[in-house]
Amino acid sequence: DVKVTQSSRYLVKRTGEKVFLECVQDMDHENMFWYRQDPGLGLRLIYFSYDVKMKEKGDIPEGYSVSREKKERFSLILESASTNQTSMYLCASKPAGTEETQYFGPGTRLLVL
Amino acid sequence: QKEVEQNSGPLSVPEGAIASLNCTYSDRGSQSFFWYRQYSGKSPELIMFIYSNGDKEDGRFTAQLNKASQYVSLLIRDSQPSDSATYLCAVIAGNQFYFGTGTSLTVIP
């Protein structure tokens, strides 16, 4: 079974703090993704990576950065957390290939006060 | 225009009925189509995928794809209260994954 894990299920941070969200997958997948999910807005892609040290901006990259130093690990960084970044953050991974599905981690619910 | 459109619902059906969920997409070059189920507070999980025109059945679930009309649907037969969730449609176009905003389904006992 594919396993995608995220470092925290719940996180509370203060405005201005630097926040690290980590995602690890154990299936040697090439592609990894970070989404945020908000009521009524669905899943919105923040960044994705198709290989180590490679990254591409998604639909809403502002205020975020990412790091992929190892194939199995994809980190999302909030440089200076703001209240409008309170959300559910979902990591996903998939093998290369257009017919392959994404596998999601359990999600991190982040509250920025 | 969004890449993937879904009726947000909520859709309510009685237990034992057929639930019909629909999704339309804008890119005619879309190649692969997925349905995910997401329970409240949980992450999406894949329930069906379909690549070719026509129907694909898996237990109580049937996915239907019509590329000419650019829609994909999910039928849930003999709906159960445990099917109450949000259903997300997703499409791969080019090398990109696009998700709809989801349809909320409630199955009433």
Side-chain angles (χ1 to χ4, degrees), chain A residues 13-19 78-83 85 112:
Chain A
K13 295 292 182 181
R14 297 216 172 265
T15 302
E17 280 192 75
K18 192 169 187 175
V19 182
L78 286 64
E79 297 291 342
S80 177
S82 63
T83 54
Q85 291 178 310
V112 182

Side-chain angles (χ1 to χ4, degrees), chain A residues 20-109:
Chain A
F20 294 87
L21 303 181
E22 289 217 314
C23 175
V24 177
Q25 50 96 1
D26 66 357
M27 285 303 291
D28 203 36
H29 287 170
E30 288 79 10
N31 300 340
M32 296 187 75
F33 307 80
W34 274 107
Y35 295 91
R36 62 177 284 178
Q37 188 174 32
D38 303 286
L41 297 177
L43 283 164
R44 291 184 290 168
L45 181 64
I46 304 171
Y47 269 96
F48 68 97
S49 168
Y50 52 86
D51 204 349
V52 176
K53 296 191 185 294
M54 306 300 285
K55 61 184 179 184
E56 294 282 345
K57 292 180 180 179
D59 301 319
I60 51 164
E62 296 79 17
Y64 303 95
S65 62
V66 291
S67 171
R68 194 167 181 200
E69 296 297 316
K70 294 184 178 181
K71 191 174 186 180
E72 68 271 17
R73 191 179 299 267
F74 192 34
S75 301
L76 179 70
I77 303 144
L78 286 64
E79 297 291 342
S80 177
S82 63
T83 54
N84 63 12
Q85 291 178 310
T86 291
S87 187
M88 168 72 100
Y89 289 87
L90 289 161
C91 174
S93 73
K94 70 179 282 294
T98 56
E99 296 189 348
E100 300 290 340
T101 187
Q102 294 191 8
Y103 298 89
F104 286 88
T108 296
R109 191 167 292 280

Side-chain angles (χ1 to χ4, degrees), chain B residues 23-108:
Chain B
C23 171
T24 58
Y25 59 94
S26 60
D27 188 338
R28 285 196 171 274
S30 299
Q31 299 143 305
S32 306
F33 307 85
F34 305 88
W35 282 101
Y36 292 83
R37 177 176 61 202
Q38 186 175 24
Y39 293 114
S40 180
K42 303 291 187 181
S43 58
E45 56 178 334
L46 180 72
I47 52 173
M48 290 284 290
F49 61 88
I50 186 166
Y51 309 134
S52 306
N53 270 332
D55 294 1
K56 179 180 179 182
E57 190 173 313
D58 184 1
R60 296 187 295 112
F61 298 96
T62 300
Q64 299 175 318
L65 174 61
N66 184 322
K67 289 189 176 181
S69 300
Q70 294 177 244
Y71 81 78
V72 57
S73 61
L74 179 70
L75 301 178
I76 306 174
R77 290 183 300 282
D78 188 24
S79 295
Q80 301 296 309
S82 59
D83 295 326
S84 297
T86 296
Y87 289 81
L88 302 173
C89 171
V91 167
I92 295 180
N95 200 25
Q96 295 272 34
F97 232 91
Y98 298 96
F99 285 89
T101 54
T103 298
S104 174
L105 171 67
T106 300
V107 180
I108 303 165

